[in-house]
Amino acid sequence: MMQEFNYHSHTYRCGHADLDMTDEEYVKAYIKMGFKRMAFTDHCPEKNKIDKRKDMRMEYDQRKEYLENIQALKQKYAGEIEIQSGYEVEYLPGEEENLKELKDETDKLILGQHFIYDDNQELKIHGKDSFSDKELLRYAEYIEQAMKCGIPDIIAHPDFYMLKRKEFGEIEAKVAHHICQAAEKYNVPLEINLNNIFAKTYYKYGILNHKPIEKQRKNLEKVAYPCKEFWKIASGYDIHVVYGIDTHYRGQIELFNEFVELANEILGKETIEKLNFINLM
Ligand SMILES: [Zn+2]
Ligand SMILES: [Zn+2]
């Protein structure tokens, strides 16, 4: 049976999702697909502006409008779907209090760790800057710290670091064990993120296509995450697992079942059967 919730969903406010797509249109798409619960977890605003990139996240004073709009949708669609509020956040040492403020005003925080501080206290962004092995280990350390502080409800794309790694070697395995060990210790679910599958198949070159799944399958080798080796390691731990669409675009929600099918093919039957999926949370 289909997972009846999705707790990873963005809005136009982040600046890199479909700008002409309203929050309500997303909600309608979730209802149409039969989802029972969803959370808006847009990229969080920063009280202290640390990430200087454009079109990455809403401004701090947009929070009120964002949360009020979710509240209105919550009431409007009560009985059809349960709507929650939230953010996708990154952990940085020194930001604990600010992150707790965001946690207190929402239902769900998911951790999408995209960066770390390097030895010179400069922000290093994964996918943009290359990480040394030492920095990659620090990346895992940050994810553990976030859980230790009780910040995230879910770890989004815990294998995101494979985006810029050529192969899954010793360091990559070490990072996987570190993240999975911490997830087990602090009992925080890990997300199998479906966004990179979307980007390499149905949304190739930023254009949505509806070619049959057999044709999409041919591009699966280009998918960086979910990473087969990471999830094989994860399957050896006592952890909970959820799928996350990481919705940014029109048409993405409707393809949920196809994404799950493709993700399961990447991970392989043996790993999928060992993973402990949550059906409701
Ligand atoms: Zn995004
Ligand atoms: Zn996301």
Side-chain angles (χ1 to χ4, degrees):
M1 199 186 67
M2 182 185 113
Q3 175 184 290
E4 292 179 323
F5 60 88
N6 178 45
Y7 297 143
H8 197 159
S9 206
H10 295 278
T11 78
Y12 65 88
R13 293 171 191 79
C14 71
H16 61 270
D18 270 343
L19 299 179
D20 61 345
M21 186 77 175
T22 65
D23 301 348
E24 187 165 11
E25 282 178 274
Y26 285 120
V27 168
K28 285 182 175 166
Y30 282 112
I31 294 172
K32 206 171 163 202
M33 273 297 285
F35 283 92
K36 298 280 188 285
R37 201 181 287 177
M38 65 81 61
F40 283 105
T41 44
D42 209 355
H43 298 282
C44 72
E46 292 178 326
K47 199 172 199 176
N48 301 322
K49 271 204 165 212
I50 296 169
D51 179 8
K52 303 275 175 20
R53 290 173 297 170
K54 270 196 161 133
D55 297 332
M56 265 307 145
R57 55 191 74 243
M58 68 180 87
E59 294 298 323
Y60 203 69
D61 59 13
Q62 276 182 283
R63 273 159 50 246
K64 198 166 170 282
E65 180 275 325
Y66 169 67
L67 296 175
E68 281 172 0
N69 202 48
I70 293 171
Q71 190 56 35
L73 289 169
K74 214 181 249 198
Q75 280 159 11
K76 184 169 178 185
Y77 289 96
E80 289 185 81
I81 188 168
E82 187 188 325
I83 299 172
Q84 299 187 345
S85 62
Y87 295 110
E88 174 172 3
V89 302
E90 292 91 353
Y91 171 81
L92 283 174
E95 291 305 305
E96 293 84 354
E97 287 313 310
N98 293 335
L99 292 169
K100 276 177 191 156
E101 253 179 59
L102 297 180
K103 192 173 177 76
D104 286 343
E105 65 187 23
T106 53
D107 302 309
K108 287 253 179 325
L109 284 195
I110 65 173
L111 184 83
Q113 193 64 31
H114 298 106
F115 41 60
I116 56 156
Y117 285 133
D118 66 10
D119 284 341
N120 305 315
Q121 282 292 107
E122 301 276 354
L123 199 67
K124 266 211 156 175
I125 299 170
H126 214 290
K128 181 172 159 276
D129 308 312
S130 62
F131 281 34
S132 67
D133 289 351
K134 183 182 158 199
E135 285 166 341
L136 197 64
L137 293 170
R138 181 176 300 168
Y139 179 82
E141 185 58 40
Y142 276 28
I143 293 176
E144 171 166 16
Q145 275 303 318
M147 289 190 254
K148 198 175 171 187
C149 298
I151 292 163
D153 296 293
I154 295 171
I155 306 300
H157 48 58
D159 45 353
F160 183 75
Y161 64 93
M162 289 310 294
L163 201 56
K164 284 280 161 169
R165 307 299 285 192
K166 286 195 179 66
E167 55 185 24
F168 198 93
E170 208 179 313
I171 289 293
E172 289 77 7
K174 206 170 167 184
V175 168
H177 281 289
H178 192 146
I179 295 170
C180 293
Q181 245 160 37
E184 183 179 271
K185 182 174 175 191
Y186 297 105
N187 196 21
V188 179
L190 300 184
E191 176 209 61
I192 296 177
N193 187 284
L194 303 171
N195 197 27
N196 201 237
I197 294 178
F198 180 57
K200 301 292 179 199
T201 60
Y202 293 89
Y203 204 61
K204 227 175 152 206
Y205 310 118
I207 300 163
L208 185 64
N209 73 78
H210 289 285
K211 287 183 191 152
I213 196 162
E214 299 77 53
K215 288 241 162 68
Q216 309 290 353
R217 202 169 266 133
K218 288 178 188 148
N219 290 309
L220 281 191
E221 68 214 36
K222 297 180 186 128
V223 172
Y225 58 91
C227 166
K228 186 184 172 82
E229 292 88 347
F230 177 95
W231 290 99
K232 187 169 189 238
I233 289 172
S235 73
Y237 286 86
D238 184 15
I239 51 174
H240 292 105
V241 178
V242 300
Y243 294 103
I245 304 178
D246 201 353
T247 311
H248 286 83
Y249 306 104
R250 181 176 280 105
Q252 208 170 352
I253 297 161
E254 290 85 340
L255 289 163
F256 177 66
N257 291 318
E258 284 82 354
F259 297 151
V260 168
E261 192 177 328
L262 293 171
N264 291 358
E265 279 178 30
I266 292 171
L267 270 51
K269 201 165 173 255
E270 205 182 317
T271 294
I272 289 292
E273 281 174 355
K274 274 167 79 183
L275 290 172
N276 186 11
F277 286 91
I278 303 177
N279 281 321
L280 255 185
M281 69 173 282

